[in-house]
Amino acid sequence: MEINTKFHEQDELTELFSKLTGKRIDDSFGLFPPFYTDFGKNITIGKNVFINSDCKFQDQGGIYIDDGVFIGHSVVLATLNHDLELSKRAWLHPAPIRIGKNVWIGTNATVTAGVTIGEGAIVAAGAVVTKDVEANTVVGGVPARIIKRVDG
């Protein structure tokens, strides 16, 4: 709430994000609020990470973001899933999201529980990522599929 309710210089945002996660966030971190999470303590952030405005991190399953990652506007990282069986539908199944070095996640993309995004990958705007993404690939669509490979 403190992050979202008033203007902060970048160094203040880094300090507030460190409090939110319970871990020291590097001074190279960048954030454009607002930012939303359901817990915060299960988020790990590397160096030179930038998170654009209106992102939503459901972090109960764990979110691991490596160095050099760019996250676009309104990205959702959702680490919880529900059971498919109707009688167990209220059961939650947490699984971590792991984002490798130098990944770029475009505006309005959603990454679901248990997904690993390989180093150097690009997730196109609006993609819904339900399976692991290979390193140095561009994925897009619903569900996300490989569009092309990029030089690593």
Side-chain angles (χ1 to χ4, degrees):
M1 180 134 166
E2 175 69 21
I3 288 172
N4 296 338
T5 56
K6 64 181 182 177
F7 175 80
H8 299 282
E9 296 292 339
Q10 195 58 55
D11 60 331
E12 294 172 305
L13 286 170
T14 300
E15 186 60 36
L16 288 168
F17 214 85
S18 293
K19 282 185 182 179
L20 178 68
T21 63
K23 301 170 191 87
R24 173 75 180 104
I25 303 295
D26 191 77
D27 290 337
S28 61
F29 174 74
L31 173 70
F32 286 172
F35 174 81
Y36 304 96
T37 189
D38 54 357
F39 190 59
K41 300 295 187 218
N42 299 312
I43 300 170
T44 302
I45 303 279
K47 295 178 181 177
N48 297 307
V49 169
F50 174 71
I51 301 171
N52 218 323
S53 64
D54 200 34
C55 288
K56 297 160 187 76
F57 288 13
Q58 180 191 56
D59 70 299
Q60 293 176 49
I63 295 173
Y64 304 92
I65 301 172
D66 212 328
D67 299 342
V69 172
F70 296 144
I71 299 178
H73 292 89
S74 302
V75 167
V76 173
L77 303 181
T79 65
L80 294 176
N81 208 343
H82 291 275
D83 206 276
L84 295 177
E85 188 178 322
L86 182 59
S87 65
K88 299 176 184 175
R89 188 76 41 93
W91 295 13
L92 294 174
H93 300 281
I97 292 173
R98 300 180 189 282
I99 302 172
K101 288 182 180 177
N102 303 313
V103 167
W104 173 22
I105 302 177
T107 298
N108 285 315
T110 298
V111 180
T112 60
V115 167
T116 296
I117 301 175
E119 185 172 325
I122 299 170
V123 176
V128 177
V129 183
T130 60
K131 296 183 178 174
D132 290 353
V133 175
E134 293 177 33
N136 302 312
T137 58
V138 178
V139 299
V142 180
R145 293 179 176 17
I146 294 176
I147 296 171
K148 66 180 179 179
R149 301 196 184 279
V150 293
D151 291 333

